[in-house]
Amino acid sequence: MKSAAALTALVALLPAFASAQSQVWGQCGGIGWSGATTCVSGSTCTKLNDYYSQCIPSSQAPTSQPPASTSVPSTPSSTSAPSTPSTTPAAGNPFTGFQVYLSPFYAAEIQSAAAAITDSTQKAKALSVAKVPTFTWFDTVSKVADLGTYLADAQSIQQSTGQKQIVQIVVYDLPDRDCAAKASNGEFSIANNGQANYFNYIDQLVAQIKKFPDVRVVAVIEPDSLANLVTNLNVQKCANAQQTYLACVNYALKQLSAVGVYSYMDAGHAGWLGWSANLSPAAQLFATVFKNAGSSPFIRGLATNVANYNALNAASPDPITQGNSNYDEMHYINAFQPMLKSQGFPAQFIVDQGRSGQQNLRSQWGDWCNIKNAGFGTRPTTNTGSSFIDSIVWVKPGGESDGTSNSSSPRFDSTCSLSDAAQPAPEAGTWFQSYFETLVSKANPPL
Ligand code: BGC
């Protein structure tokens, strides 16, 4: 969602995958694990929980497992082995043959938003948005219990209709989250037990998912995080977070793959990693992360344009794209996919078009906060026009703010008070009624 055009040297890529010993951050033990139980030199096999031991760089390995923070409920204990994925990974598109489950949380937001609209035509259009499948963001650990409710609901729809359901989630709770911006800073900090808290957050997601093995789950993994490691290591907070982000994403990918979740790592957008200087280091990083997480076929690929405003196929380049040949998501993906493939990651893509209905709105490509006059975009579909793209999706729930314009907030990011940002805007993730109404009236195709 965010953007940064500048390339910063990519440092300390992880060592390549080696099968005899587990690589740094790789799995080295746990119930059901049959792979290597020793770690490459410089790392130590460290038990994180009954299901997962990981090769932690020896300099960082704790002598004993850090206690979970008291503010975070511990994972329910279980004596059963982790459920094996309910399905053998489909060779193809995980969306094919599945109906996307509609988030009741977003539907409730839409219901109350529509109730505040007096014009009956606009109200009806607003209400129709509740029928468009949108991802549900798990941006705090306290929301994770809701996943069980949604999965149970999806399971009962599946049982009563015979129509298979796929539930779309965003995994979004890294410690020192949003390291190059402020608007979406999260609840965990690296300095205060953040990595252990994050592992616990993932364990709780997994515990819910394991209860419903016949419901398919697809996840976008940590918007902005790895893209920040490609271009923003000059930002102190990102440099400091680098190893923790890698360890946490590795843990998330492995644990989610083990319960059959299809993951797409967030890969910024055309105006971020799509610059020619950024593509190659980005491909190297994502391929390394993929291999270090075991090259599972459940790590299906990458998500682009999450919470951003780019077109999939722009009619003509927006002037802000300044000569970048990858001036829309299709060009970006067509340039990026072969590089990933040649690095050993046969990535497939999903592309957020939720707020991309109107184009040529921004003063600069890097602007990302509540862009004025944005409209809802192309509806989710697997008819994408590209063999590299599994589905057009709506990831950002349109109507939820990108960040506050209140300069006295601790999460105020000055991007949210630029002239192309709608104001006054509430805190990130909270409802922004006037913004939603504009998305409705500017929707393209119309609602
Ligand atoms: C916010 C999250 C929110 C998400 C979806 C992000 O910008 O930081 O809290 O869940 O957007 O609206």
Side-chain angles (χ1 to χ4, degrees), residues 1-2 109 135-140 143 170 172 177-178 183-186 307 355 368 395-403 411 427-430:
M1 48 182 146
K2 313 292 160 46
E109 286 183 320
F135 278 66
T136 302
W137 292 57
F138 291 90
D139 59 341
T140 60
K143 291 185 184 169
V170 180
Y172 192 52
R177 191 175 73 194
D178 207 13
S184 286
N185 285 184
R355 302 188 302 181
W368 48 264
V395 183
K396 174 78 185 183
E400 294 182 5
S401 176
D402 295 319
R411 299 206 303 173
E427 287 284 347
T430 63

Side-chain angles (χ1 to χ4, degrees), residues 44 76 109 135 153 196 212 216 231-232 237 248 262 267 332 358 367 374 382 413 415-416:
T44 307
E109 286 183 320
F135 278 66
D153 189 24
F212 303 94
R216 184 169 284 187
T231 65
N232 285 328
K237 189 175 170 190
C248 288
Y262 289 82
Y332 168 40
Q358 301 292 335
D367 295 351
T382 53
D413 190 296
T415 309
C416 298

Side-chain angles (χ1 to χ4, degrees), residues 7-8 14 29 63 95 98 133 135 174 177 196 211 217 233 267 286 292 298 329 383-384:
L7 170 67
T8 303
L14 300 177
T63 42
F95 290 87
F98 282 72
F135 278 66
L174 280 177
R177 191 175 73 194
K211 290 195 263 176
V217 178
L233 289 175
F286 284 109
N292 284 345
F298 283 108
E329 296 304 298
N383 190 1
T384 64

Side-chain angles (χ1 to χ4, degrees), residues 3-90:
S3 173
L7 170 67
T8 303
L10 181 63
V11 298
L13 276 178
L14 300 177
F17 182 74
S19 56
Q21 293 181 308
S22 286
Q23 71 284 8
V24 178
W25 304 121
Q27 187 168 0
C28 53
I31 296 169
W33 173 248
S34 58
T37 52
T38 55
C39 299
V40 291
S41 159
S43 61
T44 307
C45 187
T46 308
K47 179 179 173 180
L48 300 174
N49 58 43
D50 288 344
Y51 302 113
Y52 201 82
S53 299
Q54 186 175 36
C55 297
I56 309 275
S58 302
S59 57
Q60 295 180 27
T63 42
S64 62
Q65 191 187 346
S69 151
T70 47
S71 63
V72 178
S74 61
T75 314
S77 62
S78 160
T79 48
S80 61
S83 64
T84 40
S86 54
T87 48
T88 318

